């Protein structure tokens, strides 16, 4: 069983969580100036990473809060979890570059 460390509740079973897609995607500040293609890329285009991926998860059966996860998509190992708006804390995160798109 995979255990996920909710930043508020601590370690819990994977069944208590739901995957929320790729993390670190920043909403454009001036969406009225975007082309349809740029807006479509923001809304729909996501990376398909083999390796360390920045994701959003929600503790749906617990506190209900969203948080960030760094997960290896090959081994399923979770490298780190942290609150939305906070900085990742672990050494392994220092070389991680969030998605710029
Ligand atoms: Zn929680």
């Amino acid at each position: 069983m995979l255990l996920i460390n909710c930043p508020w509740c601590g370690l819990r079973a994977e069944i208590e969580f739901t995957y929320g897609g790729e993390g670190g995607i920043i909403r454009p500040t001036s969406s009225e100036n975007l082309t349809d293609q740029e807006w479509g890329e923001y809304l729909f285009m996501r990376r398909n990473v083999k390796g360390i991926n920045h994701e959003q998860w929600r503790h749906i059966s617990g506190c209900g809060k969203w948080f960030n996860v760094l997960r290896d998509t090959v081994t399923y190992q979770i490298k780190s979890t942290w609150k939305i708006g906070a900085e990742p804390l672990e050494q392994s995160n220092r070389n991680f570059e969030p998605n710029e798109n």
Side-chain angles (χ1 to χ4, degrees), residues 13 17 20-21 27 38 43 51 60 63 66-67 69 74 76-77 80 85 88 90 93:
F17 297 86
R27 182 184 176 98
E38 290 169 331
L43 290 176
I60 193 84
C63 63
W66 288 94
F67 57 97
V69 173
V74 177
Y76 297 102
Q77 181 184 20
S80 181
E90 293 188 13
N93 298 335

Side-chain angles (χ1 to χ4, degrees), residues 6-10 12 16-17 59 62-65 67:
C6 172
W8 289 272
C9 306
R12 298 290 191 273
E16 294 187 13
F17 297 86
H59 193 184
C63 63
K65 294 181 179 177
F67 57 97

Side-chain angles (χ1 to χ4, degrees), residues 78-98:
I78 293 179
K79 305 287 188 185
S80 181
T81 62
W82 70 98
K83 296 176 182 177
I84 300 288
E87 293 293 322
L89 298 177
E90 293 188 13
Q91 176 72 30
S92 62
N93 298 335
R94 290 191 179 166
N95 295 327
F96 176 73
E97 295 295 330

Side-chain angles (χ1 to χ4, degrees), residues 19-35:
Y19 173 75
E22 187 173 331
I25 298 171
I26 300 170
R27 182 184 176 98
T29 54
S30 58
S31 58
E32 65 278 1
N33 296 327
L34 296 179
T35 66

Side-chain angles (χ1 to χ4, degrees), residues 36-53:
D36 287 346
Q37 180 170 348
E38 290 169 331
W39 184 245
E41 288 176 6
Y42 161 71
L43 290 176
F44 303 112
M45 300 306 289
R46 300 294 180 260
R47 301 180 307 159
N48 187 16
V49 175
K50 182 178 182 182
I52 304 298
N53 194 31

